Amino acid sequence: MFDWITALVERTGYLGIAILMLVENVFPPIPSEVIMPVAGYSAGSGGLNLVAVIVAGSAGSVGGAYFWYLVGKRLGLARVERATARWGRWLTIEPQDIHRASAWFARNQERAVLIGRLVPTIRTLISIPAGIAHMGTPRFLAFTTVGSVLFCAALAVAGYALGSQHKLVSEWMNVGTNLFLAAIIALYLYRVVTFRRGGRRISSGRGELQGK
């Protein structure tokens, strides 16, 4: 799997990295924790430029985050909650997740967006309450970009450091990547199976909460 992803990244180049990261932020077929280290690894082995890899990955990541920001902004809290109750199983997002992210965003604002982009479990989710709260687009994009660059750079540099050790790491990276992807798929399937439609609901567009 590692060799396949490496070949894909090198064949599609920076545009491919950007597209993979954009799609990963919308619905992750391959997690960013695999995409960016592999892209960095390709740069370390001489196939790509590290700075361009980070820029491409960050651009795709920001694009995916902006998609969810627009979803939150257009739908509002009550409609987002209803949508997650109905369709959230396939994105493994429950209404309670929206409430928790919204509460954290309300307390932290810009810091929530910046820090949220650095945390794998909420990197995408934090964009929704930012949109719901109608956070200014320039501010959202600024903090999202900073967080995305830091996240992508850390992963890419980690992969880059392995680039000079191609023969040493290729075999165990194949095994490690396979195990990591298998764990991600297993976790996704578990969340789909155990998804709960229940939870708290919104009584008005202002985001007042009431028990079910």
Side-chain angles (χ1 to χ4, degrees), residues 68-85 93-106 125-134 200-210:
W68 287 116
Y69 167 83
L70 290 179
V71 169
K73 191 171 185 178
R74 298 285 176 85
L75 296 184
L77 186 54
R79 290 172 67 188
V80 167
E81 185 190 43
R82 288 196 296 270
T84 55
I93 298 175
E94 300 178 9
Q96 297 93 320
D97 296 328
I98 301 299
H99 283 292
R100 286 191 289 266
S102 296
W104 189 49
F105 177 83
L125 189 61
I126 196 60
S127 301
I128 299 176
I132 290 172
H134 287 259
R200 307 173 76 188
R201 66 174 181 269
I202 306 304
S203 61
S204 73
R206 295 180 181 180
E208 299 172 354
L209 303 179
Q210 66 179 40

Side-chain angles (χ1 to χ4, degrees), residues 12-163:
T12 58
Y14 307 115
L15 178 60
I17 294 170
I19 292 174
L20 284 173
M21 288 297 290
L22 188 152
V23 174
E24 184 273 337
N25 275 264
V26 175
F27 185 77
I30 304 175
S32 56
E33 290 82 1
V34 171
I35 298 169
M36 291 309 301
V38 168
Y41 177 83
S42 296
S45 59
L48 299 171
N49 177 271
L50 179 62
V51 174
V53 161
I54 295 172
V55 171
S58 300
S61 186
V62 171
Y66 186 57
F67 169 83
W68 287 116
Y69 167 83
L70 290 179
V71 169
K73 191 171 185 178
R74 298 285 176 85
L75 296 184
L77 186 54
R79 290 172 67 188
V80 167
E81 185 190 43
R82 288 196 296 270
T84 55
R86 184 174 183 182
W87 306 108
R89 174 184 299 275
W90 307 111
L91 295 172
T92 67
I93 298 175
E94 300 178 9
Q96 297 93 320
D97 296 328
I98 301 299
H99 283 292
R100 286 191 289 266
S102 296
W104 189 49
F105 177 83
R107 292 193 301 269
N108 296 281
Q109 296 288 317
E110 289 91 348
R111 186 171 58 181
V113 175
L114 177 60
I115 297 175
R117 294 304 296 170
L118 301 173
V119 182
T121 55
I122 63 171
R123 289 183 64 245
T124 298
L125 189 61
I126 196 60
S127 301
I128 299 176
I132 290 172
H134 287 259
M135 180 181 189
T137 300
R139 283 193 303 149
F140 171 78
L141 290 177
F143 284 94
T144 296
T145 298
V146 173
S148 297
V149 169
L150 291 175
F151 183 80
C152 290
L155 293 177
V157 169
Y160 182 85
L162 299 174

